[in-house]
């Protein structure tokens, strides 16, 4: 049983499209992270959320604690956004850096 | 500020060999962790440390040892490598900073065990 589920697994979009990636979890959490992994393997932390919504450039992340669901949106998508996007949760009461990861959503943006 | 530095980037071992994956951070972060990433599995926590001298097991600790003698370094040791340990390994560090708790990842070590 996966405690963190992401959808879709794979996503292909045309440049300029609005993209949504979803993350659902089944455990009590204190925070949720969105990470980006590029084809070369490097991982970058995009957002950490415990409530509400955060925006950074063309990226928007939202979380609904009651529904145990988070979304990552990309506006005006660009081929450089092509990457794997990973959702991770920190368990409530868990150690600060002890995260449970989803399997990732592979995004490919075509020019 | 180099961030999180992992070495080596690539390694091939024979079954039964031992090796140490190095991880160093220069951000004075208390928390460091090791993950492995396998196809279709997502990242899984191997071991973590909440400060120098303190380590604990994660989700998949068997076959790995860690130590944390300094804040900067958190090496991961494979005592007797097995083909099941073929994976990509990531080291990460995190600052205890309340609202801004962001993980910084190293570039990864791709390990093949033959």
């Amino acid at each position: 049983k996966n405690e963190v589920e992401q959808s879709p697994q794979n996503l292909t979009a045309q440049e300029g499209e609005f993209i949504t990636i979803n993350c659902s979890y089944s455990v009590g959490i204190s925070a949720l992270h969105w990470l980006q992994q590029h084809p070369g393997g490097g991982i970058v932390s995009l957002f950490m959320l415990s409530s509400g919504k955060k925006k950074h450039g063309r990226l928007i992340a939202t979380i609904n604690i009651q529904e145990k669901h988070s979304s990552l949106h990309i506006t005006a998508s660009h081929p450089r956004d092509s990457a794997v996007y990973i959702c991770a949760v920190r368990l409530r009461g868990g150690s600060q850096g002890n995260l449970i990861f989803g399997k990732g959503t592979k995004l490919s943006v075509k020019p | 500020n180099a961030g999180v530095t992992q070495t080596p980037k690539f390694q091939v071992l024979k079954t039964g060999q031992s090796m140490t994956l190095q991880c160093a951070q220069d951000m004075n972060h208390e928390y460091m962790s090791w993950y492995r990433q396998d196809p279709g599995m997502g990242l899984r926590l191997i071991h973590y440390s909440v400060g120098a001298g303190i380590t604990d097991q994660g989700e998949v600790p068997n076959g790995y040892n860690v130590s944390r003698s300094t804040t900067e370094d958190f090496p991961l040791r494979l005592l007797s490598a097995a083909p099941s340990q073929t994976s990509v390994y990531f080291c990460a560090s995190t600052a205890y900073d309340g609202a801004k708790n962001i993980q910084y990842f190293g570039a990864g070590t791709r390990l093949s065990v033959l």
Side-chain angles (χ1 to χ4, degrees), chain A residues 33 37 90 96-98 101, chain B residues 35 37 40 45 96 101 103:
Chain A
H33 294 250
Q37 184 175 28
R90 187 167 76 238
Q96 286 289 335
N98 194 351
F101 291 82
Chain B
Y35 298 92
Q37 185 178 41
L45 182 66
Y96 279 137
N101 190 354
Q103 292 217 338

Side-chain angles (χ1 to χ4, degrees), chain A residues 1-3 98-101, chain B residues 34-36 41-48 56-62 64:
Chain A
K1 171 181 170 293
N2 292 324
E3 291 163 310
N98 194 351
L99 300 180
I100 301 174
F101 291 82
Chain B
W34 277 102
Y35 298 92
R36 59 178 290 174
M41 295 289 290
L43 287 164
R44 291 183 293 169
L45 182 66
I46 304 171
H47 285 284
Y48 64 99
D56 203 351
Q57 296 181 345
E59 184 185 354
V60 287
N62 293 340
Y64 307 95

Side-chain angles (χ1 to χ4, degrees), chain A residues 46 52 55:
Chain A
L46 298 175
K55 183 175 189 291

Side-chain angles (χ1 to χ4, degrees), chain A residues 9-31:
Chain A
Q9 273 189 298
N10 294 284
L11 181 56
T12 300
Q14 287 298 127
E15 183 173 357
E17 285 185 1
F18 181 84
I19 288 162
T20 295
I21 298 170
N22 296 299
C23 175
S24 297
Y25 52 91
S26 58
V27 293
I29 70 168
S30 58

Side-chain angles (χ1 to χ4, degrees), chain A residues 84-97:
Chain A
V84 176
Y85 292 84
I86 302 168
C87 170
V89 300
R90 187 167 76 238
L91 297 180
R92 189 183 303 133
S95 186
Q96 286 289 335

